[in-house]
Amino acid sequence: MAELEAAAAGPGAGGNPEAGSVGTGSGWRRPHGPLQRYYGPSTAEAAAPDPADINGPNFDPEVFLTKVRSECPLGELLAREAELGREIRALDSDMQTLLYENYNKFISATDTIRKMKVDFRRMEAEMDDLAANMAAISTSSARVSAALQDRHRRSAQLAGVQALLRKLQSLVEVPGRLRRWAAPGAEPARALRCHARARAVLRHYRHLPSFRAIEDESHAIMADLAQRLRARLRDDTLDPKELTECVEMLLQLEEPPEELCEEFLNHAGARLETELAVLEAEVPPSDPSGTAATPPPASDILDFVDRGSSAFVGNLCLLAASYRSLFEGRPGPGDGRLETFAAALTARYFELLERRLALERGLGDTSLLVRALDRFHRRLRALLELLPAAGAEAGAALVARAARERVDRYLWALQTFFLGCLGDVRQALAAPRPPGKEGPGLPDLLATLASSVLGQLKAVLAYVQLFTAKDVAFASLPYFKGEFCMEAVREGLVVAFVRWLCRTAQGFADGPAERGAPTAPPALLLLLARLCLDYEATTISYILTLTDEQFPPQDTGLAVTPGPALCAEARGAAQRLLDHYVQVQGAAVAQMLRKSVETRDWLGTVEPRNVRAVMKRVVEDITAIDVQVGQLFEEGVRRAQSSDSSRRAFSVYSSSRAPGRYAPSYTPSAPMDTHLLSNIQKLFSERIDIFSPVEFNKVSVLTGIIKISLKTLLECVRLRTLGRFGLQQVQVDGHYLQLYLWRFAADERVVQGLLDEVAASAAHRCLDPVPMEHSVVELICERG
């Protein structure tokens, strides 16, 4: 206690705390010595002691002061002194606080030690008494055990005998329990469990007469139960669960598994056949000839698939699971009998479903068909997990065929829609127009036709896209998605429709030219040519891009039709239609000219005073054709008027198309040497191809029509014999045509050349070739 009080008084007990603390500079650190001796010096201190380190164990005040005086200036020495003073006061304060806080703990520890010295003396006495009592108890227990040892042995023997008697009692009661639980309408499952527990013991001790009697009686009872279960197994009203329980109990009764397997499959097959018969009653038999009228189905395809999946497929899955649990691993039934049995039934179910799908002739609700196929595929996948050989390929092929057939019907619907639109266009073109009221123009009809067909195609793609939705189970399978997207949709729907459209449009130009056969209006030919040309330019590329976005192509190695090939087909159809349009319109104008030449008496005609009406009609028709073609095609490029002086200038408008400016007439002022003149002219004239393909512009189309018309006029004039006034009438008509037709041609020299040949042929066929004065011809044409 005196030591604790001295420690609590602190180093400054003499009256000045700082004096006691500073002392030697390290006296207040002496309590740390024992700790340092226990833990030992640190590695750094042991390695290199520094007497100038104020915090180190080897601190030397003299060395430290000498070092500070020699290294630090006066200001730094004063600062260092103040800092050391603050540190000393802080450390003294911490030491005093530590001593004050632990003073009560030291006192409490002293009291506890004093009390422990007193308490342990009393405890030692009590422990001695306890040891003596325990020795006495052990002695008494040994005497009691020795006295009761014989009785304990006898009691154990009696307990074993009692347990054996209870077991014998339970064996004796087995026949009664079996008779009570195996009775009709009782609990045969409990009887089977009771017999299973007793069967091994009875067989082991059957050499004893009493046990043999119990076994024989039990066997008779279970044989009677087996007969009743066999009779129940032949009941047609037994559901799959009861059938499984019945077979399982017979197997527990050690009935032959081979016979049970046969009866199990026969009973289950009869029930599944009944369910197939119910489904087959809703599907009429297939008619190979296709002549019989098929009644509409009583329910939709989704309801049919739901009932087939829940009844037939569900029971087949239950049958497979029950068969595996009952006969798996047994020696007799494991010969693939279940797979053969299930494959035959699933083949019939697939046939029924395919016949039912064939009744979906109309487009109907595609989402309903997709849901039905999805449910069928999901239930089929669950069945295949139990029976991998139950027709996986046939089921997958059925789904793919159903989707492909629906795509084919959409293709037929697109074709029908396009033909209907063409019918509307033909009706609009043929409808009579009230005076002063114009119908829809060709651009409007073309825009309506193109937008309607494209909109219908996009709607069909949206419907077909339901087959590849993310929530559809079969859509993610590679064998379906790759072939369906590439073969069915892209090639079988989009490409096939575009090709059919081009063939149908071209068919109006390639149709049989029989007398009385309906011909397409020329405006329809022109409109279809523009439609095919638009398809070649933009529509085909847009359709294929849209199809590839909605149905991403898969790397299946299938050959696909490239876009340029389709565009080439569309352009070829457009070229054929436009050429046919030129031929039709040219033939119509040529027919007027031919009749006007053939029905006129060119020998007895009077002196011409007017242009014939047919020439005016030709100019009017050519002008109307020009307006019609200009609605759908570009103007085109005309060839500039040639300044070649070696060629004769004919009466045409100048290049500025200013009315009234004419070139010199082709009418010679002297009598013509027709044979020599025509032959010389042909030597220097360019060859004119009458039926050459036209370009996709208005000028080229009108040039083709004019060439056909004037060529017909030339050939008709060659077959006639003309008088003087007949030649002059041809001269007037040719000059009139020259005045108005040159503006429609791509090259005015084509018109000049053909009319020159007409004039030469007329002069050659004339009996008195005296031409009319050029001024008179101009006057008549201006007046006409």
Side-chain angles (χ1 to χ4, degrees):
M1 291 300 294
E3 295 177 357
L4 289 176
E5 291 176 356
N16 188 2
E18 295 183 4
S21 299
V22 175
T24 62
S26 61
W28 58 276
R29 292 184 176 271
R30 290 174 184 173
H32 293 283
L35 293 177
Q36 290 180 351
R37 286 194 301 271
Y38 177 78
Y39 289 105
S42 62
T43 306
E45 293 173 350
D50 185 8
D53 184 9
I54 195 172
N55 295 320
N58 300 316
F59 177 68
D60 188 351
E62 296 297 335
V63 176
F64 175 75
L65 290 175
T66 303
K67 182 179 180 182
V68 170
R69 282 196 302 266
S70 61
E71 294 178 357
C72 298
L74 181 59
E76 187 175 348
L77 287 174
L78 295 175
R80 183 62 175 166
E81 181 185 7
E83 182 182 357
L84 288 175
R86 288 192 300 269
E87 291 180 359
I88 292 171
R89 288 192 295 272
L91 290 174
D92 289 341
S93 177
D94 292 340
M95 179 63 72
Q96 291 179 6
T97 302
L98 179 64
L99 292 176
Y100 293 154
E101 288 176 354
N102 289 282
Y103 183 73
N104 291 332
K105 296 179 181 179
F106 294 155
I107 295 175
S108 176
T110 303
D111 294 340
T112 302
I113 292 171
R114 188 182 299 112
K115 291 179 180 178
M116 286 176 62
K117 291 181 179 180
V118 177
D119 293 339
F120 272 108
R121 293 192 189 95
R122 187 172 61 252
M123 188 178 296
E124 290 177 359
E126 292 176 357
M127 289 297 294
D128 295 338
D129 295 340
L130 179 60
N133 293 334
M134 290 297 296
I137 291 172
S138 298
T139 303
S140 302
S141 176
R143 288 196 302 269
V144 171
S145 297
L148 298 178
Q149 184 175 4
D150 295 338
R151 294 183 181 180
H152 177 70
R153 188 182 302 108
R154 291 176 56 192
S155 298
Q157 292 176 353
L158 292 176
V161 173
Q162 183 182 12
L164 180 61
L165 291 176
R166 287 178 181 175
K167 292 179 181 180
L168 292 175
Q169 180 66 25
S170 62
L171 290 176
V172 172
E173 294 176 355
V174 164
R177 295 175 181 176
L178 294 179
R179 195 177 294 106
R180 183 171 63 257
W181 291 335
E187 303 176 83
R190 294 187 65 182
L192 288 172
R193 289 194 297 271
C194 179
H195 183 259
R197 288 194 298 267
R199 180 167 50 197
V201 178
L202 293 175
R203 284 181 181 177
H204 184 71
Y205 294 103
R206 69 184 315 273
H207 60 279
L208 301 176
S210 58
F211 285 94
R212 186 184 304 113
I214 295 174
E215 183 185 17
D216 293 341
E217 187 176 1
S218 301
H219 183 72
I221 295 172
M222 300 311 291
D224 182 64
L225 176 61
Q227 292 180 358
R228 291 201 305 273
L229 290 175
R230 288 264 187 188
R232 186 184 178 191
L233 190 62
R234 292 186 289 271
D235 188 3
D236 295 337
T237 61
L238 209 62
D239 60 24
K241 183 178 179 181
E242 294 174 344
L243 175 65
T244 303
E245 292 176 353
C246 184
V247 173
E248 185 178 5
M249 287 188 289
L250 287 172
L251 288 173
Q252 292 178 6
L253 290 173
E254 298 182 345
E255 293 292 319
E258 184 72 22
E259 297 179 5
L260 292 178
C261 174
E262 188 71 26
E263 294 185 11
F264 179 79
L265 292 179
N266 290 338
H267 188 281
R271 186 176 185 86
L272 293 173
E273 291 280 353
T274 303
E275 294 170 353
L276 287 177
V278 173
L279 295 175
E280 192 171 7
E282 301 183 15
V283 183
S286 58
D287 183 18
S289 63
T291 58
T294 304
S299 59
D300 56 43
I301 184 63
L302 181 60
D303 180 64
F304 183 86
V305 172
D306 278 340
R307 286 186 285 108
S309 299
S310 60
F312 173 77
V313 180
N315 288 335
L316 187 58
C317 291
L318 183 60
L319 163 70
S322 301
Y323 186 93
R324 298 294 177 111
S325 63
L326 292 174
F327 302 106
E328 189 75 27
R330 296 184 182 273
D335 55 357
R337 188 178 303 177
L338 175 64
E339 286 73 12
T340 305
F341 171 81
L345 289 174
T346 52
R348 286 189 55 194
Y349 176 63
F350 292 162
E351 180 186 0
L352 283 176
L353 183 57
E354 192 157 10
R355 284 163 49 190
R356 177 61 183 83
L357 288 171
L359 298 179
E360 301 289 317
R361 291 190 176 91
L363 295 178
D365 188 0
T366 303
S367 62
L368 201 68
L369 176 64
V370 173
R371 289 166 57 196
L373 293 177
D374 183 48
R375 293 187 184 180
F376 164 75
H377 185 269
R378 291 178 187 272
R379 296 306 296 267
L380 179 64
R381 188 167 58 182
L383 176 63
L384 295 178
E385 292 179 358
L386 296 172
L387 297 172
E393 296 181 357
L398 189 150
V399 174
R401 281 197 303 271
R404 183 61 183 267
E405 289 175 1
R406 179 52 60 96
V407 172
D408 293 341
R409 288 173 188 158
Y410 273 121
L411 175 61
W412 172 82
L414 281 174
Q415 296 170 351
T416 305
F417 179 80
F418 179 74
L419 293 178
C421 291
L422 280 186
D424 295 340
V425 170
R426 299 187 68 168
Q427 185 177 2
L429 292 174
R433 302 285 183 266
K437 184 179 181 181
E438 296 183 358
L442 290 182
D444 297 334
L445 293 176
L446 175 64
T448 302
L449 175 63
S451 62
S452 300
V453 173
L454 184 58
Q456 190 71 10
L457 179 59
K458 292 168 69 175
V460 165
L461 289 178
Y463 286 130
V464 174
Q465 199 175 10
L466 295 174
F467 286 97
T468 60
K470 293 182 179 179
D471 57 344
V472 177
F474 59 81
S476 59
L477 300 177
Y479 71 85
F480 176 84
K481 192 168 186 179
E483 296 181 1
F484 181 76
C485 293
M486 302 299 293
E487 289 188 354
V489 180
R490 192 185 191 277
E491 297 296 318
L493 178 64
V494 177
V495 174
F497 174 70
V498 173
R499 283 179 166 168
W500 175 88
L501 186 147
C502 295
R503 290 195 305 268
T504 303
Q506 188 172 342
F508 287 97
D510 298 337
E514 300 177 359
R515 182 171 297 179
T519 58
L524 181 63
L525 297 175
L526 194 66
L527 186 144
L528 290 176
R530 181 74 251 186
L531 178 66
C532 291
L533 192 62
D534 290 343
Y535 266 67
E536 184 262 341
T538 58
T539 308
I540 290 178
S541 176
Y542 171 74
I543 291 174
L544 293 181
T545 302
L546 180 65
T547 304
D548 292 340
E549 289 177 355
Q550 295 183 356
F551 302 90
Q554 307 292 322
D555 188 11
T556 58
L558 301 174
V560 296
T561 303
L566 278 183
C567 294
E569 293 183 19
R571 189 173 185 85
Q575 185 70 58
R576 182 69 185 90
L577 286 165
L578 199 58
D579 292 343
H580 188 66
Y581 173 80
V582 171
Q583 295 171 11
V584 170
Q585 294 288 53
V589 176
Q591 182 73 5
M592 290 191 300
L593 293 172
R594 185 179 64 83
K595 288 183 178 180
S596 69
V597 173
E598 292 177 352
T599 58
R600 189 176 183 87
D601 183 10
W602 294 96
L603 289 173
T605 185
V606 298
E607 185 177 1
R609 293 290 182 265
N610 291 303
V611 179
R612 288 192 299 155
V614 66
M615 300 302 168
K616 298 179 181 179
R617 177 66 183 276
V618 167
V619 174
E620 291 175 359
D621 288 354
I622 295 295
T623 305
I625 294 172
D626 178 76
V627 173
Q628 187 181 68
V629 177
Q631 295 180 14
L632 297 178
F633 288 92
E634 304 294 335
E635 178 70 21
V637 179
R638 284 185 170 85
R639 185 173 181 178
Q641 183 177 0
S642 175
S643 59
D644 186 2
S645 59
S646 65
R647 294 183 55 84
R648 296 169 55 192
F650 294 90
S651 176
V652 294
Y653 288 111
S654 64
S655 58
S656 62
R657 298 189 182 182
R661 297 184 59 191
Y662 305 104
S665 172
Y666 62 83
T667 304
S669 59
M672 301 183 235
D673 184 0
T674 56
H675 182 70
L676 181 60
L677 179 63
S678 61
N679 289 335
I680 294 174
Q681 184 177 351
K682 288 180 180 178
L683 291 175
F684 294 96
S685 63
E686 297 178 0
R687 181 180 179 274
I688 300 175
D689 191 359
I690 303 301
F691 295 100
S692 60
V694 297
E695 299 177 0
F696 295 101
N697 57 71
K698 184 178 70 173
V699 173
S700 180
V701 172
L702 268 295
T703 302
I705 296 173
I706 292 173
K707 288 191 296 184
I708 294 174
S709 304
L710 296 184
K711 184 65 175 179
T712 303
L713 177 62
L714 172 63
E715 298 299 329
C716 292
V717 169
R718 284 177 177 174
L719 299 177
R720 313 304 296 177
T721 302
L722 294 82
R724 176 190 298 180
F725 298 130
L727 173 61
Q728 293 176 0
Q729 185 65 56
V730 172
Q731 183 181 357
V732 171
D733 293 343
H735 186 74
Y736 181 81
L737 293 177
Q738 181 72 26
L739 289 176
Y740 292 100
L741 293 186
W742 73 271
R743 72 188 70 180
F744 301 111
D747 189 357
E748 61 189 42
R749 290 177 296 182
V750 174
V751 180
Q752 289 176 353
L754 289 173
L755 289 176
D756 187 24
E757 291 187 19
V758 171
S761 297
H764 180 70
R765 299 291 298 171
C766 182
L767 299 178
D768 186 12
V770 179
M772 184 178 287
E773 291 293 334
H774 176 64
S775 60
V776 178
V777 173
E778 288 186 343
L779 181 62
I780 294 174
C781 291
E782 289 178 1
R783 186 177 59 192

